[in-house]
């Protein structure tokens, strides 16, 4: 399979005590289906999705116990944490696992937590100062235990670029499709969803994928700035500030940032802000002017122009087409 597809993208699935194995195997099958569809499209330019399972045992770091493409030599592009149906509590997390998650994130991996899986991300400290969601039954305890996290319990999925959390026990399919969308494109993600007969937002195929920053480029100085931009929402940034964060002279920073991400810093920030605005338009009832201000635009007119440039739709049209009424109890099962 995929002999002509030279590039490989490794997606790791974490198996911890109490993890829902249906989600582990479901994600594995979802990525296999996506690979097959990409092959059918003869998409040699797309990466082959390599799926690995990482077993947590006691106080040791996770160990690879399954590999769909063992002959490959690749770093983890993403780590997916499935939900638990066994009453997992945050206190069960070992320091070794927390450090392993932080290390993968620092190397450029996107981390995704499904339902209770978001607790592991919270325990690692990676969600501090960031937005996240979790299962509605855990929302109160989550908010009390992690006051530094901006909890959005009424939002089914919070895609923050490098960190993705979902609220539903069965939301592993949407998390998997988000990654297929990023790596193989929205048409293959939509085809995978149709084959599996699972729901998937049409916004990606009609308006372009949600912003998926390139994080696996290996430039630690630029990755540090990217993580900072994701955590702040890029609402108040300047070239000087970003270059200082990277510890680079401005001209050097500009060159390395574009080489690493494929975008100029201003373009990167625009995509990041519009990505957050898309989420708010889909899952909240705030006014468009308020959303513009929240994501960092003092001029609503400028926000509308940039939003249309990136998505092809005016914000009001985007909401009319893709907005949903938040109802956490209706979206978690």
């Amino acid at each position: 399979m995929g002999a002509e597809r030279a590039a490989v993208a490794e997606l790791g699935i974490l198996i911890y005590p109490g993890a829902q194995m249906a989600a582990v195997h479901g994600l594995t099958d979802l990525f296999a289906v996506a690979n097959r569809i990409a092959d059918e499209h003869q998409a040699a330019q797309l990466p082959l999705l390599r799926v690995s399972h990482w077993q947590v045992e006691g106080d040791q770091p996770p160990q690879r116990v399954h590999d769909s493409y063992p002959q490959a030599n690749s770093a983890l592009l993403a780590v997916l944490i499935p939900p638990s149906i066994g009453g997992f509590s945050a206190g069960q997390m070992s320091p070794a696992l927390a450090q392993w998650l932080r290390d993968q994130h620092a190397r450029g991996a996107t981390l995704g937590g499904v339902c209770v899986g978001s607790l592991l991300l919270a325990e690692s400290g990676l969600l501090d100062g960031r937005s996240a969601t979790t299962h509605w039954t855990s929302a109160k305890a989550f908010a009390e235990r992690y006051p530094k996290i901006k909890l959005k319990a009424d939002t089914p999925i919070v895609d923050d670029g490098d960190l993705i959390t979902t609220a539903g026990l069965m939301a592993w399919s949407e998390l998997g499709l988000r990654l297929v969308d990023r790596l193989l494109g929205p048409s293959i993600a939509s085809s995978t969803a149709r084959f599996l007969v699972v729901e998937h937002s049409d916004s990606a195929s009609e308006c372009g994928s949600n912003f998926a920053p390139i994080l696996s480029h290996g430039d630690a100085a630029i990755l540090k700035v990217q993580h900072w931009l994701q955590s702040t929402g890029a609402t108040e940034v300047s070239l000087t500030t970003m270059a200082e964060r990277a510890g680079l002279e401005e001209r050097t920073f500009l060159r390395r940032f574009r080489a690493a991400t494929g975008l100029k810093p201003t373009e990167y920030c625009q995509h990041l802000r519009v990505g957050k605005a898309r989420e708010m338009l889909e899952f909240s009832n705030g006014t468009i002017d308020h959303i513009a201000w929240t994501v960092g635009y003092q001029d609503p007119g400028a926000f509308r122009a940039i939003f249309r440039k990136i998505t092809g739709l005016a914000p009001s049209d985007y909401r009319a087409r893709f907005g949903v009424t938040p109802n956490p109890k209706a979206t978690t099962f």
Side-chain angles (χ1 to χ4, degrees):
M1 176 196 213
E4 300 85 6
R5 291 158 63 190
V8 174
E10 184 176 357
L11 309 174
I13 303 173
L14 193 68
I15 303 176
Y16 58 91
Q20 183 191 33
M21 294 307 294
V24 174
H25 296 304
L27 283 165
T28 303
D29 290 345
L30 185 152
F31 296 133
V33 168
N35 271 331
R36 193 190 74 192
I37 291 173
D39 278 345
E40 290 172 352
H41 283 70
Q42 298 182 335
Q45 76 279 11
L46 297 178
L48 175 71
L49 303 185
R50 174 190 184 187
V51 183
S52 53
H53 296 174
W54 295 77
Q55 183 78 49
V56 177
E57 294 286 356
D59 294 331
Q60 300 302 309
Q63 298 296 313
R64 192 195 307 263
V65 294
H66 166 78
D67 193 334
S68 66
Y69 197 55
Q71 59 267 49
N73 182 19
S74 56
L76 282 168
L77 256 67
V79 176
L80 310 183
I81 307 174
S84 169
I85 55 175
F88 176 85
S89 64
Q92 294 175 243
M93 187 173 182
S94 70
L97 174 55
Q99 187 59 52
W100 186 82
L101 290 173
R102 289 192 291 267
D103 289 344
Q104 298 308 316
H105 183 254
R107 291 171 187 149
T110 296
L111 305 187
V114 181
C115 189
V116 178
S118 60
L119 285 175
L120 277 76
L121 292 180
E123 280 291 299
S124 73
L126 289 168
L127 288 176
D128 286 356
R130 307 289 289 271
S131 296
T133 189
T134 191
H135 195 279
W136 62 273
T137 60
S138 307
K140 185 174 183 295
F142 189 100
E144 291 174 350
R145 183 175 179 89
Y146 310 110
K148 295 180 180 179
I149 299 173
K150 304 166 189 173
L151 182 63
K152 298 181 177 179
D154 59 348
T155 301
I157 184 167
V158 174
D159 185 343
D160 213 16
D162 56 330
L163 298 169
I164 308 172
T165 53
T166 68
L169 192 67
M170 301 300 291
W172 54 264
S173 61
E174 178 59 23
L175 176 60
L177 290 168
R178 289 272 174 135
L179 290 171
V180 172
D181 184 313
R182 289 187 181 191
L183 297 168
L184 304 182
S187 63
I188 291 180
S190 296
S191 296
T192 302
R194 283 196 300 272
F195 181 88
L196 297 173
V197 196
V198 295
E199 291 186 6
H200 180 52
S201 172
D202 292 329
S203 65
S205 59
E206 294 191 30
C207 300
S209 302
N210 289 283
F211 181 50
I214 297 172
L215 303 169
S216 57
H217 45 70
D219 190 328
I222 300 303
L223 182 61
K224 178 183 177 182
V225 174
Q226 289 178 272
H227 285 159
W228 175 70
L229 290 172
Q230 295 291 153
S231 68
T232 61
T235 54
E236 294 183 13
V237 294
S238 67
L239 174 60
T240 300
T241 303
M242 287 187 280
E244 288 176 350
R245 283 264 169 181
L248 299 171
E249 187 269 337
E250 288 185 14
R251 184 175 298 179
T252 302
F253 170 76
L254 277 170
R255 175 177 54 80
R256 285 173 54 176
F257 190 95
R258 188 164 189 175
T261 68
L263 295 168
K264 298 176 183 177
T266 51
E267 295 171 332
Y268 188 97
C269 292
Q270 287 173 354
H271 278 275
L272 194 157
R273 292 170 179 174
V274 166
K276 290 183 179 296
R278 286 173 67 165
E279 179 184 290
M280 295 178 72
L281 288 165
E282 289 183 34
F283 301 120
S284 81
N285 295 316
T287 67
I288 292 171
D289 284 2
H290 176 72
I291 289 173
W293 179 84
T294 301
V295 301
Y297 289 96
Q298 303 300 316
D299 180 358
F303 165 72
R304 285 175 168 84
I306 292 170
F307 190 93
R308 182 187 288 275
K309 177 183 176 182
I310 290 175
T311 68
L313 289 175
S316 57
D317 293 337
Y318 185 94
R319 168 174 275 165
R321 189 174 299 184
F322 305 114
V324 297
T325 301
N327 185 345
K329 295 187 179 181
T331 56
T332 50
F333 292 102

